[in-house]
Amino acid sequence: MASKPDPVYQIFSFRDSKTSPDPIFDLPDQCLAPTPAAIVIDNGSFQTRAGWASAAAQPDSPRLLFKSVAARSRGAARSETQIGNDIPNLEPLRWLLKSQFDRNVVVNFEIQELMFDYVFTHLGLGSEGSVAHPIVLTEAPCNPLHCRQMMSELLFECYHVPYVSYGVDSLYSFYNNNTQRSLQPPHTGIILSSGYHCSHILPVIDGRFDAVNSKRVNVAGSQAASYLQRLLQLKYPGHLAAITLSRVEELLHEHSYTAVDYHEELEKWRSPEFYEREVHRMQLPFSGKVPGGCVSAEERQERRAQQLRRLQEINARRREEKLLQDQERLDRLLAVQELLEDGLLDHFHKRLVELNMDSAEELQSYINKLQLAVEQGRQKLLHSDGAEGKIEVSELEQPMDDGDAVALIDSDFPDDTLPEKPANVVQPVFNMAEYHQLFVGTERLRCPEIMFQPSPTGEDQMGLMETLQYVLARYTPEQQEALVSNVFLTGGNMQYPGMKERVERELLAMRPFQSHFKVTMASRPALDAWYGARDWAMQHPPSEGEGGAAAEGWISRQEYEEKGGEYLSEHCASNVFVPMKITKPVPARPTEPSATTLTSTGASAAVTTVTSALSPSCSTVAANVTLVTS
C-alpha cells in the first residue's frame, strides 16, 4: 500500500526591505533645449512619482519613486526632516511620520512644500527660489477649490513656475490605456479607481469627466492593511510587536488575492487538505538559542564564577560606601569634642542638642563605637582584596546543589536533580522556528473583500460594486450600455489577483440578461497615471496665445494673477472647474432728506434713469442695484 505523501508547506520570509536614499540626478540637456521640459509629479497619498516629460529623457520611467511621508521631530529644523527614501526603516519612526494628505486631499502644505523641495533638488534643479519648468500635477477627483488655490499659490509664489496643469490620476491612466488600445477619442467609460485612502467611481461621457455623478468610497489599501493587522494581532497575541504595518502591507501586496465567489472560497478553506496546501506560513525573525536548553558543565561554572564576581563587587562597593559614611560622622563628632576641649561650652551644648545627645559621656561613647567600626571596615577591605581569588575558587569547588550557593545559581539553569528518563523514551522537542511562524489563511482573501463588503471594518457605507450600480442607475439605458462597454480598473489597490474576474462576475449579476460589458485592467495600475500625465504633457506643450492665455489645460502665471488660485483650465483628464460664486451685498446709500417724500414707484424710476446714464462697463452693477431697489 503506497504511503500518503507529506503535504508541501509554503514557508515565506518577510523581506523587511529597507530603502536607500535617492541620488541627486544631473539635469539632462534635453530637458533645457529648445524649451524647458515639463516636470510630471504624480502626487499620490501612498507614493510620489516624479520625472521629466521628454522623449529624450532616459530612463523612460519616473526618476523618483518614494513614499509620501516625512519624519521630523517636534521643534526640529527643516534641514533635519527626512523624506521618503531617506528613511530606511519606517517602523522606528512611525510615530513621527507626517503626510500632506487627509485621505486623498492635500491639506498640510508645509509638508507639501518639503516634498516639492525634495523632488526639485533630486531632479537636478539647483536654482534657489525659482523653477523654470512647467509642472504637471495630479490632484484628487472633485478637489476642493481652497486646496487648489493653496497649491497654485505655493507653486507660483514660492517656486515661480511659468505654467501649471492639474489632472486626475485615474483619468490620466484611463486615457493612456485607451491610447495603447487604439481607441479613438472621445472616450466613454467608467473608471473604478482604488488607492491608499479611498476608492472612486468616475464616469466619463464623450471624453469629459462627469463630476456630478462620481462617487467616493472610503475603503482602500490603508483600511485593508489596518484590518489585516488587527486580525493577525488577535490571532497571535504573543507577536504583537513583530506584526508591524510595513510587514502587513507586504502581506497584503504579495500574498493576498480577491475571491471570485467569496462564500464558495471560504467553504474551500474548511477542507484540511486545502488549508495545508494554500496557507502561507510567514517566518518571523527569531534567535535560535533557547533559554533553559542544554548547558555544559563548563558553561555553568563560568556563569557561576561571573555571578560570584558580581556579588563580590557589589559587597565591596557597599563596604566602601559604609566606611565613607562612618568616617564622615566620626569627623563631625570629633569636631564637636574639640569645642569642649577649647572651652567653648555654649557652642558645645548647642551642638549636643542638634545631635540629640545629653552629655559629653554619651558623645565619647558614640565616638568610640564609630572609631571601632571604621577600623573594622578598613580591615575588611584589606582582607577582601587578598582573599577574593581564594573565595572564588573555594565557592566554585563546592557541589552544585549546596544550600549556600542555591540562591546564586541562575534560575534559567536549574540543577540536574530530576531522574534521567530511559533512552528509549522520545523527548518532545520545542520548535522555535514554528513558534515564530504566522499562518496566514483566510486572511488572504478576507482583507481584499472589504472593498466589496466594508461592514467587517465598521464602515457604514456601500461597497465598490454596489456604488457602481447606484451610479449607473443615474443614466439612461443607452448611456449605461456605453459606460459598461469600457469599465476600467486602475490604482495600486486594484492589483490583487482575481480582481478583474470578481468585477466581471458582479457586473454579470447586476446587468440585464444578455447585455454586454467589457472590463479592462490598467497595464501598470500603479504607474499608468504618471505615464498618462507624461504623454499628455508631451502632446500638449504650454504656449501663450493672445492676451497671455496659455494653451488648453495649462494655467499661466498671468491667468493665476487675474483669475485667482482656484482657477482650473479644463482638459481631457482634468476635474470640472466650478467657479466659486460669492454674492457680495451692495452697500446701502445714505437716504437724502428730500427723497423721503418720493413714493416707491418714483424711487424705482429715478434709479432706472440713473442707470441709463451710466457707462456700458458699469451696466451689470447698475442692473443689480435696480433689482435690489425694486
Side-chain angles (χ1 to χ4, degrees):
M1 183 176 179
S3 60
K4 189 175 182 180
D6 295 333
V8 179
Y9 300 132
Q10 301 185 67
I11 301 179
F12 303 87
S13 297
F14 287 104
R15 293 183 302 174
D16 290 338
S17 57
K18 296 184 178 180
T19 58
S20 56
D22 291 318
I24 297 179
F25 297 100
D26 295 329
L27 181 60
D29 296 334
Q30 301 88 345
C31 298
L32 292 174
T35 57
I39 300 175
V40 180
I41 303 176
D42 182 9
N43 196 27
S45 58
F46 179 72
Q47 192 179 52
T48 299
R49 307 160 192 91
W52 296 101
S54 174
Q58 295 295 331
D60 185 24
S61 60
R63 279 291 184 95
L64 299 174
L65 291 96
F66 58 91
K67 286 194 175 182
S68 303
V69 291
R72 181 173 62 178
S73 57
R74 188 185 298 273
R78 287 172 60 94
S79 58
E80 299 176 7
T81 305
Q82 294 177 292
I83 295 175
N85 293 335
D86 288 345
I87 311 172
N89 188 7
L90 294 177
E91 293 310 320
L93 301 177
R94 180 70 68 179
W95 63 284
L96 286 176
L97 295 183
K98 298 179 178 65
S99 175
Q100 67 268 40
F101 288 92
D102 181 5
R103 292 198 181 270
N104 65 329
V105 177
V106 178
V107 294
N108 191 337
F109 287 90
E110 181 183 0
I111 302 297
Q112 184 64 63
E113 183 180 353
L114 293 175
M115 296 291 173
F116 282 149
D117 289 344
Y118 184 88
V119 168
F120 296 147
T121 301
H122 286 77
L123 286 180
L125 301 176
S127 57
E128 287 292 334
S130 176
V131 176
H133 294 264
I135 304 295
V136 179
L137 188 67
T138 60
E139 63 179 6
C142 304
N143 194 34
L145 293 181
H146 173 72
C147 298
R148 186 182 302 126
Q149 178 184 2
M150 296 294 293
M151 187 71 75
S152 297
E153 181 179 341
L154 177 63
L155 290 171
F156 282 113
E157 302 293 345
C158 181
Y159 296 101
H160 302 284
V161 299
Y163 299 96
V164 173
S165 177
Y166 296 107
V168 180
D169 50 1
S170 50
L171 293 178
Y172 279 131
S173 178
F174 179 65
Y175 284 101
N176 179 62
N177 281 266
N178 286 338
T179 304
Q180 293 177 2
R181 292 157 53 196
S182 301
L183 296 180
Q184 295 299 322
H187 305 127
T188 298
I190 192 162
I191 305 171
L192 274 65
S193 171
S194 183
Y196 188 63
H197 281 116
C198 54
S199 305
H200 291 92
I201 310 292
L202 308 177
V204 179
I205 303 291
D206 294 332
R208 288 296 178 178
F209 170 45
D210 186 7
V212 176
N213 294 318
S214 62
K215 295 296 175 185
R216 185 179 79 173
V217 180
N218 291 327
V219 175
S222 62
Q223 288 80 10
S226 300
Y227 182 50
L228 179 57
Q229 186 179 30
R230 291 202 305 270
L231 289 178
L232 291 179
Q233 286 181 342
L234 287 172
K235 190 175 181 180
Y236 298 99
H239 301 306
L240 291 180
I243 305 173
T244 61
L245 192 58
S246 298
R247 288 175 177 166
V248 165
E249 288 176 356
E250 181 182 336
L251 277 175
L252 199 64
H253 296 160
E254 300 183 8
H255 300 275
S256 299
Y257 68 96
T258 303
V260 178
D261 189 327
Y262 180 63
H263 296 288
E264 182 182 342
E265 192 72 16
L266 284 180
E267 287 297 325
K268 292 181 182 178
W269 280 91
R270 292 179 179 272
S271 169
E273 293 80 10
F274 184 88
Y275 179 87
E276 292 294 336
R277 186 174 66 252
E278 296 296 332
V279 68
H280 284 196
R281 302 185 179 203
M282 304 303 300
Q283 185 66 63
L284 293 171
F286 68 97
S287 175
K289 197 166 186 178
V290 184
C294 299
V295 182
S296 62
E298 291 79 6
E299 291 180 352
R300 291 182 192 170
Q301 292 288 83
E302 179 63 27
R303 296 191 181 195
R304 185 180 176 83
Q306 291 178 359
Q307 291 170 355
L308 288 174
R309 280 194 293 269
R310 287 197 297 268
L311 286 174
Q312 289 169 357
E313 292 173 359
I314 293 172
N315 291 334
R317 199 181 309 116
R318 287 178 178 174
R319 289 193 197 102
E320 292 177 0
E321 293 174 356
K322 187 175 186 304
L323 179 60
L324 290 175
Q325 293 175 359
D326 291 343
Q327 185 65 47
E328 291 176 359
R329 183 168 177 80
L330 178 61
D331 293 341
R332 288 197 300 269
L333 295 181
L334 290 174
V336 175
Q337 193 177 37
E338 289 177 359
L339 294 175
L340 178 62
E341 295 174 356
D342 295 341
L344 302 175
L345 297 179
D346 294 338
H347 291 287
F348 175 72
H349 289 298
K350 185 177 180 181
R351 294 298 301 276
L352 279 182
V353 173
E354 292 176 358
L355 294 173
N356 198 18
M357 296 184 184
D358 297 330
S359 62
E361 291 78 9
E362 186 177 357
L363 175 64
Q364 186 63 43
S365 174
Y366 271 100
I367 290 175
N368 294 337
K369 291 179 181 179
L370 282 176
Q371 287 177 342
L372 181 61
V374 169
E375 185 64 27
Q376 290 178 352
R378 289 173 179 168
Q379 294 295 330
K380 286 182 181 180
L381 283 178
L382 292 175
H383 287 298
S384 64
D385 293 339
E388 181 177 350
K390 296 180 181 179
I391 294 173
E392 182 176 331
V393 173
S394 62
E395 289 288 342
L396 289 175
E397 289 175 353
Q398 294 179 6
M400 294 299 293
D401 54 353
D402 267 6
D404 297 335
V406 168
L408 302 179
I409 299 176
D410 193 346
S411 60
D412 289 340
F413 303 93
D415 296 336
D416 297 330
T417 56
L418 296 177
E420 295 186 359
K421 294 185 178 181
N424 57 356
V425 178
V426 178
Q427 298 284 347
V429 179
F430 179 72
N431 192 337
M432 180 62 72
E434 188 171 341
Y435 174 74
H436 286 85
Q437 286 178 2
L438 306 179
F439 286 58
V440 185
T442 56
E443 293 86 3
R444 294 176 56 201
L445 67 148
R446 290 171 64 188
C447 295
E449 184 64 23
I450 68 170
M451 292 182 59
F452 304 96
Q453 302 180 48
S455 55
T457 63
E459 292 285 349
D460 186 16
Q461 57 183 329
M462 295 188 293
L464 196 65
M465 299 308 296
E466 193 175 355
T467 308
L468 173 62
Q469 186 176 11
Y470 174 80
V471 170
L472 290 175
R474 300 169 70 92
Y475 293 96
T476 63
E478 293 77 13
Q479 289 177 323
Q480 292 183 25
E481 288 292 334
L483 288 172
V484 298
S485 64
N486 189 6
V487 179
F488 181 69
L489 311 181
T490 186
N493 199 43
M494 283 289 184
Q495 300 183 88
Y496 301 113
M499 178 61 72
K500 179 183 175 183
E501 291 77 10
R502 174 63 179 271
V503 173
E504 289 176 343
R505 184 181 182 276
E506 297 281 349
L507 274 173
L508 184 64
M510 74 171 63
R511 296 298 298 154
F513 180 63
Q514 290 186 343
S515 61
H516 299 282
F517 58 85
K518 185 176 182 180
V519 180
T520 306
M521 175 70 74
S523 56
R524 293 157 296 194
L527 292 176
D528 273 351
W530 185 88
Y531 282 103
R534 183 204 62 177
D535 294 344
W536 181 89
M538 293 170 60
Q539 295 169 7
H540 302 81
S543 60
E544 286 197 11
E546 297 180 359
E552 181 186 8
W554 293 95
I555 307 170
S556 65
R557 183 174 182 83
Q558 181 177 351
E559 289 178 316
Y560 160 74
E561 294 173 350
E562 292 178 356
K563 302 178 182 180
E566 68 274 5
Y567 172 69
L568 172 68
S569 179
E570 296 184 11
H571 58 92
C572 61
S574 71
N575 276 307
V576 178
F577 177 54
V578 181
M580 186 182 299
K581 296 181 180 180
I582 301 178
T583 305
K584 295 183 179 180
V586 179
R589 295 182 179 180
T591 307
E592 296 293 337
S594 59
T596 55
T597 58
L598 295 174
T599 62
S600 61
T601 307
S604 178
V607 173
T608 307
T609 305
V610 173
T611 303
S612 62
L614 290 173
S615 62
S617 60
C618 302
S619 59
T620 304
V621 178
N624 290 338
V625 174
T626 304
L627 292 175
V628 171
T629 308
S630 60

